[in-house]
């Protein structure tokens, strides 16, 4: 029997009133409906990582901080990551960069995808995310969801719901298809 693919959805915004929760409420059921996937949500709020100040990079030595150790151990259980990506000043959130910096092994040789949202669907943040992911030996997948412009603003204000924007379901399915392919390929290669 085929093994399940364990996929984490990461909420990369931690602020009160975050749009991330709306994006999660829409995307999580779509991801959970994917046959053969076991989906878990990783909320950076709950990870409660300190601002990175380890004496040695996690690529060389496991972090001393208990929250960072728990975070790194948690990542190791997943076969891929889909990040709900907010764009802060044309990049990913500081909380997400901090979460990358706090671990190494758990990210490596796995695919990463993005559901981006913001003025331009977090396109600039998603490109930064891909470049950062390469440093961990991850596979940034080609497909991404971009919740952008007037649609993003209408969703944020509550003037529209995701049901009004069925093209986003198509984008989500394309992202999931890429994650499935690379998730299976890298899982097999990791053995
Ligand atoms: C510190 C900060 C910087 C931002 N910079 C950008 C930006 O560069 N581009 C953009 O499209 N939106 C930007 N925004 C607006 C965000 O897209 C919007 O606030 C979005 O809801 C953030 O995601 P969140 O609510 O899940 O935190 C910024 C918001 C914050 C709080």
């Amino acid at each position: 029997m085929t093994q399940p693919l364990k996929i984490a959805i990461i909420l990369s915004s931690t602020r009160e009133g975050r749009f991330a929760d709306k994006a999660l409420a829409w995307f999580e059921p779509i991801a959970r409906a994917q046959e053969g996937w076991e989906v878990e949500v990783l909320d950076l709020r709950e990870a409660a990582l300190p601002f990175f100040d380890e004496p040695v990079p996690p690529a060389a030595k496991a972090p001393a901080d208990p929250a960072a150790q728990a975070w790194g151990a948690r990542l190791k259980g997943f076969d891929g990551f889909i990040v709900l990506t907010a764009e802060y000043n044309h990049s990913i959130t500081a909380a997400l960069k901090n979460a990358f910096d706090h671990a190494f092994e758990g990210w490596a040789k796995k695919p990463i995808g993005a559901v981006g949202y913001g003025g331009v669907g977090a396109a600039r943040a998603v490109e930064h995310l891909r470049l950062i992911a390469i440093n961990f030996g991850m596979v940034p997948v080609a497909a991404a969801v971009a919740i952008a412009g007037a649609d993003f603003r209408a969703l944020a204000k509550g003037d529209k719901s995701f049901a009004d924007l069925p093209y986003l379901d198509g984008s989500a399915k394309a992202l999931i298809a890429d994650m499935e392919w690379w998730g299976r390929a890298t899982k097999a290669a990791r053995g």
Side-chain angles (χ1 to χ4, degrees), residues 114-191:
V115 173
Y117 53 85
V120 295
R124 296 161 294 219
V126 170
E127 290 298 281
H128 285 178
L129 175 69
R130 288 171 168 150
L131 287 173
I132 292 163
I134 288 166
N135 185 56
F136 293 96
M138 304 183 88
V139 182
V141 302
V145 177
I147 306 168
D151 286 343
F152 167 69
R153 286 189 290 276
L155 288 166
K157 281 202 261 166
D159 293 345
K160 274 189 185 171
S161 76
F162 281 94
D164 298 318
L165 305 166
Y167 73 90
L168 290 174
D169 288 27
S171 300
K173 284 179 186 138
L175 168 63
I176 287 167
D178 268 9
M179 290 295 297
E180 165 73 16
W181 199 96
W182 284 105
R184 296 274 167 217
T186 53
K187 188 177 174 78
R190 287 196 313 277

Side-chain angles (χ1 to χ4, degrees), residues 71-130:
W71 174 246
R74 192 105 200 265
L75 296 179
K76 284 183 193 167
F78 293 105
D79 300 310
F81 305 92
I82 297 175
V83 184
L84 303 187
T85 308
E87 179 168 292
Y88 285 5
N89 297 310
H90 291 200
S91 191
I92 60 171
T93 64
L96 179 59
K97 181 60 166 60
N98 193 46
F100 271 119
D101 292 347
H102 269 295
F104 193 83
E105 214 186 313
W107 297 115
K109 299 181 169 63
K110 298 172 185 176
I112 185 164
V115 173
Y117 53 85
V120 295
R124 296 161 294 219
V126 170
E127 290 298 281
H128 285 178
L129 175 69
R130 288 171 168 150

Side-chain angles (χ1 to χ4, degrees), residues 20-31:
D21 290 318
K22 288 189 181 185
L24 181 70
W26 163 71
F27 183 73
E28 187 183 356
I30 301 176

